[in-house]
Amino acid sequence: MDSIDNEKKLAARAAVALIPDGSVVGIGAGSTVNHAVRALGERVAEGLKVKIVPASIETENLARSLGIEITGFEQHPHFDIAIDGADEMDPQLRLLKGGGGALLREKVVATAAKEFIVIADSSKTVEHLGKFPLPVEVLPFALWTVFDRVRKLGVEPILRKKADGSVYETNQHNYILDCPFGKIEDPDKLAADLACIPGLIEHGLFLTEASVALVARGETVETIRRTK
Ligand code: 5RP
């Protein structure tokens, strides 16, 4: 395991250690989250009672394989905790997410929780969001009009493709435009501009959702709480 993957695992295990018995927990997607799901599987095997609302089919499949009980919004429209990774996190706990293509469901899960815990390795912390291309999820019908409108915001979007060259589809069968904005000077304005484009279903800026971050550096996990 390389040092970044070890940090992901440490942050993930620290978050899972905080889950109280009897909880319902929203769980995001990605390699850091997979460490969390495996750690949760260990706690379940030791007797922890927990149900999860998974944000992706991949997370759900991994959790099922480890004997973790799956639930959904019909039974639990709101819950106490959600745990997810991030592609970037700034000092104000504003996140850029969606590298794994699950941003829409991840935002739904994050906003259904009272406390949203971000788990991250040290490479994810940045002074300014935007070095990582911002993913936006698009209704296939609207792809080229959304493409054009996003372009007018000053970026050349890239339609996400799979390794075989076919267009990448999200769990909802939507498309992703990756938008390499570079340093995002005003994340609130960009989020507002993106949110009013019809057919753009969701963007990967999570500016207010995170309440606490667990960031691993080397062998240490730092807890950072949102202050405002
Ligand atoms: C998926 C995400 C992930 O949280 C993000 O891409 C981080 O992934 P990883 O934990 O694999 O580094 O937003 O849509």
Side-chain angles (χ1 to χ4, degrees), residues 13 62-63 78 85 99 104-105 112 129 133 135 159 162 177 185 207 210 224:
R13 295 185 84 85
L62 177 62
H78 304 282
L104 171 59
R105 289 194 188 188
L129 300 177
L159 178 60
K162 296 196 280 196
L177 291 175
E185 298 284 354
L207 303 180
I224 308 166

Side-chain angles (χ1 to χ4, degrees), residues 179-198:
C179 304
F181 279 100
K183 180 178 171 185
I184 298 172
E185 298 284 354
D186 188 343
D188 291 308
K189 179 168 187 324
L190 179 58
D193 287 345
L194 292 169
C196 65
I197 297 176

Side-chain angles (χ1 to χ4, degrees), residues 75-117:
Q75 297 79 15
H76 300 284
H78 304 282
F79 30 84
D80 287 333
I81 303 172
I83 297 171
D84 200 356
D87 297 299
E88 289 183 343
M89 183 185 84
D90 79 3
Q92 296 164 63
L93 298 200
R94 297 184 296 189
L95 312 178
L96 189 156
K97 286 183 51 54
L103 62 139
L104 171 59
R105 289 194 188 188
E106 288 174 338
K107 199 171 277 188
V108 175
V109 167
T111 54
K114 278 193 205 133
E115 180 164 67
F116 173 31
I117 304 173

Side-chain angles (χ1 to χ4, degrees), residues 4-13 15-16 27-39 59 62 83-87 97 117-124 214-216:
I4 288 295
D5 200 44
N6 188 52
E7 289 180 353
K8 290 181 185 201
K9 188 173 177 180
L10 288 177
R13 295 185 84 85
V16 168
I27 303 274
S31 57
T32 316
V33 158
N34 288 345
H35 283 301
V37 174
R38 287 189 278 268
T59 301
L62 177 62
I83 297 171
D84 200 356
D87 297 299
K97 286 183 51 54
I117 304 173
V118 185
I119 48 177
D121 62 82
S122 57
S123 74
K124 304 295 180 52
L214 300 177
V215 182

